[in-house]
Amino acid sequence: MPKKKKSFQAPKGTFDILPSAQNVWETLRFTASRLADDFSYRRIDTPIIESSQLFETSVGTATDIVQKQMYTFKTSGGDVLTLRPEGTAPVARAYIENGLYNQPSPQKFFYMGPMFRYEQPQSGRFRQFHQFGFEVIGDEDPIYDAQLVQMIFALFDDFKITNLMVKVNSIGCKKCRQTFRNALIKYYKPQAKHLCKDCKTRLKDNPLRLLDCKDEKCIKVRSGSPQILDFLCGGCRKHFTEFLEILDEIEIRYTLDPYLVRGLDYYTKTVFEFFISNEENKDSRLPKSSSGPAIGGGGRYDDLYHLLGGRNTPAVGLAIGMERMMSIMQKNDVKLIAKKFPPVFLAYLGVPAKRKVIKLLSQLRHAGIVAGESFGKTSIGAQMKVADKIGAFYTVILGQKEILDNTAIIRDMHSGMQETVPRAKLIEVLKKRLG
Ligand code: HAM
């Protein structure tokens, strides 16, 4: 019996982005980059691997990301590295390491790329996924918090998607959060037996996360819990009020969600998450309910830079999940950026002509003319079919006669008319025809 060949599959929770899907990806990449340019965010790229300690220190050892979701490995040199699960901590590391604090503040950064989290894959949740994100570093003014929210509404506006909603909250600073934390523990402790298994652990390690558990039992207990907004200190209250006032001023619809705490430990003050609203009345300023998982989220993280060994540097940012964003774009039939197709196709008959075609392709490219070919097909008929399929305006045909005469045939693919031109004049004629 012949041995069956092993066939390979992409690892669980990862996927290929095939050529047929590139158009929607390119549309999102292009629109996000243009948004960054429009709002003066400069692109930054950090390595996909970072020291594990960076995420333990910033995202927090008691978070799901650090406890369950990191792809961590030891190199043969003994370093313990992690495939980045998010982009905020790497940007902070790069800022401190490269002394970017010497440049005028605030600095605004934009990044885009793959992130890795070991999660149970399901709709909209992958192990390798992509984010683009924006970070404003070095300013505590809530106007930046509001501008970030405004940018995402602008992005959805560009795509003509109208049912975006944002949930906002403030989780205060270190000081007021500690008082709130104590109040939470006091409230939850007597009810511990009614909580899910994870929340029993959260009560000890990360009580704030008790508030965003999706388990029915925990939601029931939560209904009588203390609310962070009642615990904000004067400074945090003022910051949050200003943030909301600016959102009102720029006419952003928001929903105040006192249970929004986010899953990463570095946040202080403002936090927000973006969803698609499932309400009919899209323009109403009334609270809305959301459907599906968060498309993106972010907030302020004024203590992170200091925690990572840098100066005290207030900062705010957000990240959007690109797969989730793309699924919404597809559901809403977003107009995709038209793909450029080669306006000219080069066809050949016989090996000498084929060799001329490979040379001609590069000469056309130099002259700024994009041309297609199908070297693998020997019959002219099959090559013409490809020319038709890619939508070429003109096909240049080289056969034995044209090689001997130093000419080329130009066929107008629309009318079917053919003209023979001297090869030396080919580029000039094509340029004229293509306008
Ligand atoms: P995050 O909420 O963990 O925040 O992730 C942001 C977005 O990434 C999520 O809303 C979701 O759309 C997408 N996402 C997260 N995990 C997955 C997954 N497993 N599969 C598919 N999409 C996923 C952050 O990462 C923060 N760094 C955001 C930030 C920037 N905060 C301040 N600056």
Side-chain angles (χ1 to χ4, degrees), residues 196-322:
C196 74
K197 193 168 148 262
D198 280 349
C199 278
K200 283 188 181 118
T201 317
R202 283 180 190 135
L203 184 53
K204 289 190 212 104
D205 297 349
N206 200 355
L208 236 64
R209 292 301 318 260
L210 289 162
L211 296 176
D212 72 353
C213 180
K214 305 288 177 285
D215 190 296
E216 290 281 315
K217 294 193 294 281
C218 304
I219 291 178
K220 232 188 209 163
V221 178
R222 185 181 73 181
S223 58
S225 72
Q227 300 215 344
I228 178 80
L229 295 178
D230 297 328
F231 289 78
L232 293 185
C233 64
C236 290
R237 181 177 300 278
K238 182 168 176 284
H239 194 276
F240 191 49
T241 308
E242 272 183 42
F243 167 64
L244 298 182
E245 281 170 3
I246 302 165
L247 289 185
D248 282 335
E249 180 98 29
I250 55 180
E251 294 177 15
I252 300 280
R253 310 173 296 269
Y254 59 82
T255 301
L256 200 63
D257 180 353
Y259 302 126
L260 181 69
V261 289
R262 309 273 300 134
L264 305 96
D265 275 1
Y266 49 62
Y267 291 110
T268 51
K269 297 182 182 157
T270 322
V271 287
F272 41 78
E273 276 183 1
F274 299 93
F275 295 87
I276 284 299
S277 140
N278 55 12
E279 304 272 323
E280 282 301 295
N281 187 2
K282 290 172 187 162
D283 292 325
S284 158
R285 317 253 352 234
L286 295 170
K288 292 169 184 298
S289 61
S290 56
S291 63
I295 304 154
R300 183 158 278 283
Y301 47 99
D302 290 346
D303 297 336
L304 179 64
Y305 280 70
H306 189 58
L307 200 65
L308 295 180
R311 304 170 179 177
N312 270 331
T313 311
V316 60
L318 61 79
I320 298 291
M322 294 178 72

Side-chain angles (χ1 to χ4, degrees), residues 65 85-89 111 117 119 124-131 133-135 262-264 266-267 273-274 294-301 316-324:
I65 294 183
E86 61 101 50
T88 307
Y111 55 87
R117 294 185 193 176
E119 302 205 63
R125 185 180 295 170
F126 306 96
R127 290 184 174 174
Q128 176 174 342
F129 61 99
H130 298 74
Q131 284 184 344
F134 303 106
E135 314 286 350
R262 309 273 300 134
L264 305 96
Y266 49 62
Y267 291 110
E273 276 183 1
F274 299 93
I295 304 154
R300 183 158 278 283
Y301 47 99
V316 60
L318 61 79
I320 298 291
M322 294 178 72
E323 285 77 8
R324 295 184 190 176

